[in-house]
């Protein structure tokens, strides 16, 4: 079973985080929510408190297949430990996904130079050196997946499911959600 982590910080976009967790779990991916704060309870951008599965400091990244960064706030770009792990995943050619404002983390690390990417409108300036595909819901370039924003979360999450569990599992989950 593939393993993924999705990171929550104060102000995260609830739809992007929780719908992605839901879809991946429906597809039998072992996905854990990780608090980037000092508390397991993290409050999203619409004042919805969510209890994360684990704190960042308690994660062993060695058996993880994918890192997922939801948007909603630029605060995700302030966590140095997360940026260190994202960079390590990129160097190890492991899957990284970011949606909405979160591709700014990848852009700031130089991971989008020469790659196609999308983001929430207005965040293009943070995607240093990227080949912008800002009208696309989801853009895949190698091991990097970027998504445009909250209304396109199902597209984003189903693409991540396909990467982690295969096309057949994606189709099965999409059908169950009445998306296919």
């Amino acid at each position: 079973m593939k393993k993924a982590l999705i990171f929550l910080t104060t102000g995260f976009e609830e739809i992007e985080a929780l719908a992605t967790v839901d879809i991946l779990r429906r597809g039998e991916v072992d996905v854990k929510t990780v608090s980037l704060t000092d508390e397991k309870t993290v409050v999203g951008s619409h004042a919805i408190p969510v209890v994360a599965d684990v704190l960042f400091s308690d994660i062993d990244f060695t058996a993880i297949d994918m890192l997922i960064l939801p948007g909603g706030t630029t605060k995700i770009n302030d966590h140095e430990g997360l940026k260190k792990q994202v960079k390590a995943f990129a160097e190890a050619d492991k899957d990284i996904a970011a949606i909405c404002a979160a591709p700014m983390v990848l852009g700031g690390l130089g991971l989008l130079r020469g790659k196609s990417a999308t983001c929430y409108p207005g965040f293009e300036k943070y995607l240093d050196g990227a080949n912008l595909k800002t009208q696309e819901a989801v853009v895949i370039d190698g091991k990097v997946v970027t998504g445009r924003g909250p209304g396109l979360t199902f597209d984003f999450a189903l693409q991540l499911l396909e990467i982690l569990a295969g096309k057949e599992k994606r189709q099965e989950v999409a059908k169950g959600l009445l998306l296919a």
Side-chain angles (χ1 to χ4, degrees):
M1 178 184 290
K2 295 284 186 158
K3 295 183 179 187
L5 300 174
I6 189 161
F7 299 92
L8 309 179
T9 194
T10 305
F12 73 93
E13 175 55 63
E14 293 96 339
I15 290 172
E16 294 166 358
L18 299 179
T20 300
V21 169
D22 181 280
I23 287 171
L24 292 177
R25 287 185 180 170
R26 286 173 191 254
E28 301 171 0
V29 172
D30 180 5
V31 60
K32 300 280 187 255
T33 55
V34 180
S35 172
L36 295 177
T37 72
D38 293 332
E39 304 290 330
K40 277 195 173 181
T41 300
V42 184
V43 179
S45 61
H46 298 96
I48 301 171
V50 174
V51 179
D53 296 314
V54 66
L55 297 174
F56 182 86
S57 57
D58 296 332
I59 291 293
D60 175 7
F61 288 89
T62 56
I64 304 302
D65 300 295
M66 179 183 282
L67 302 181
I68 306 166
L69 288 64
T73 178
T74 59
K75 288 181 184 176
I76 196 161
N77 198 37
D78 296 338
H79 197 280
E80 293 303 320
L82 174 61
K83 291 195 286 190
K84 180 181 175 184
Q85 288 301 326
V86 167
K87 193 169 185 178
F89 264 59
E91 289 168 356
D93 201 32
K94 293 175 91 174
D95 292 306
I96 305 165
I99 186 171
C100 193
M104 74 182 304
V105 174
L106 310 182
L109 293 171
L111 302 179
L112 298 178
R113 285 189 196 113
K115 290 188 175 286
S116 295
T118 192
C119 63
Y120 193 81
F123 282 82
E124 298 87 355
K125 63 188 173 194
Y126 300 108
L127 308 190
D128 184 40
N131 176 17
L132 297 174
K133 303 282 187 180
T134 55
Q135 298 306 308
E136 299 291 325
V138 180
V139 176
I140 304 165
D141 194 327
K143 295 288 190 167
V144 176
V145 180
T146 51
R148 192 158 179 231
L152 302 163
T153 299
F154 285 116
D155 298 306
F156 178 74
L158 287 168
Q159 184 59 62
L160 301 185
L161 180 58
E162 182 175 328
I163 291 167
L164 292 166
K167 192 172 191 115
E168 188 175 304
K169 185 59 77 173
R170 175 194 176 138
Q171 291 170 337
E172 174 187 319
V173 170
K175 184 177 180 182
L177 292 169
L178 304 180
L179 293 171

